[in-house]
Amino acid sequence: MIDEQTDKPRSSFWKELPILLGVAILVAVLVRFFVLQTFFIPSQSMENTLQIDDRVLVNKLVYDFRSPHRGEVVVFKAPVEWSGREGEDFIKRVIGVGGDHVVCCDEQDHLVINGHSLVEPYIFSKDGQQDRPADQEFDITVPEGRLWVMGDHRSASGDSLEHWQQSGQDITAATIDEDEVVGRAFTIFWPVNRARWLNVPEQYDSIPNS
């Protein structure tokens, strides 16, 4: 038996389609602006963790609720002195947070944070030869509200150590204001064969607070 109820005219779908598309676009824009964003890796500075042309997904909301933690890979707006132009995005690993005492190096050639040696298995290596944790000795304390960041490819990274050296050991010039952090890179999503989570290495679990 045919339903006698009046069916919704098929043409109403086409009338509603622009509204649905508009809502979808608005949601996508809001998500990108406030929650998630994709970033392209242009350099060698985070090899082998991140390769040139990798795409990572960045959580832009997480640091609205807490500060960055040691070991996290973060995207931040680099100071003009770092990049030569305002607003350029950099991606590095957080080594020290506000109050941390970071030293290079112990007898085993490891960084020391708050008196505890840090083994860094992610540091760039090639043909069985791993980069040193730093190309010179240093002894710094990270100011409150700032971050000491380094690339995993230590010999090819413009990071806190390089700018500490270039600035005449000015710790403010060498560190990043937490307010300049865009978000945390938490996964590689492209290319597909490299897709994986960017978890904090377990070696950071034993680092004591300052």
Side-chain angles (χ1 to χ4, degrees), residues 70 96-102 114 140-146 209-210:
R70 302 180 201 95
V97 299
D100 280 350
H101 181 210
V102 186
N114 300 331
I140 62 96
T141 298
V142 184
E144 291 296 334
R146 302 189 73 84
N209 291 326
S210 57

Side-chain angles (χ1 to χ4, degrees), residues 1-174:
M1 181 176 178
I2 297 175
D3 190 346
E4 296 291 344
Q5 294 180 354
T6 303
D7 290 332
K8 199 173 185 180
R10 293 182 182 179
S11 61
S12 66
F13 170 78
W14 299 107
K15 292 177 181 178
E16 293 174 0
L17 183 59
I19 297 174
L20 295 173
L21 290 175
V23 170
I25 291 170
L26 178 61
V27 169
V29 169
L30 290 174
V31 167
R32 184 183 187 280
F33 191 80
F34 292 108
V35 184
L36 298 174
Q37 188 170 347
T38 61
F39 283 87
F40 160 81
I41 306 304
S43 75
Q44 308 173 68
S45 70
M46 282 294 293
E47 290 176 336
N48 286 318
T49 303
L50 300 174
Q51 304 284 359
I52 293 174
D53 293 338
D54 280 354
R55 267 70 168 177
V56 298
L57 197 59
V58 172
N59 182 333
K60 300 174 69 174
L61 196 61
V62 60
Y63 298 137
D64 288 340
F65 301 96
R66 66 168 176 83
S67 296
H69 293 170
R70 302 180 201 95
E72 293 179 339
V73 177
V74 299
V75 172
F76 58 91
K77 298 294 182 185
V80 174
E81 295 77 14
W82 283 40
S83 64
R85 60 174 182 252
E86 190 172 355
E88 185 172 357
D89 294 320
F90 275 32
I91 186 166
K92 306 290 178 189
R93 189 181 299 276
V94 178
I95 301 298
V97 299
D100 280 350
H101 181 210
V102 186
V103 178
C104 176
C105 286
D106 65 12
E107 293 181 356
Q108 288 72 44
D109 207 24
H110 298 142
L111 295 183
V112 180
I113 304 175
N114 300 331
H116 192 284
S117 296
L118 175 66
V119 177
E120 300 181 272
Y122 48 76
I123 290 180
F124 176 80
S125 63
K126 185 176 181 180
D127 299 328
Q129 185 69 34
Q130 187 179 53
D131 276 5
R132 293 195 63 229
D135 61 9
Q136 72 169 56
E137 293 183 356
F138 65 91
D139 185 333
I140 62 96
T141 298
V142 184
E144 291 296 334
R146 302 189 73 84
L147 305 169
W148 179 273
V149 297
M150 301 180 79
D152 290 355
H153 192 167
R154 297 289 159 83
S155 61
S157 177
D159 53 24
S160 286
L161 180 57
E162 179 183 70
H163 294 283
W164 185 76
Q165 297 166 337
Q166 292 181 352
S167 65
Q169 302 183 4
D170 180 340
I171 191 60
T172 300

Side-chain angles (χ1 to χ4, degrees), residues 166-190:
Q166 292 181 352
S167 65
Q169 302 183 4
D170 180 340
I171 191 60
T172 300
T175 51
I176 297 300
D177 191 320
E178 285 186 11
D179 290 340
E180 296 303 315
V181 177
V182 175
R184 178 186 174 184
F186 66 94
T187 186
I188 304 169
F189 71 92
W190 191 264

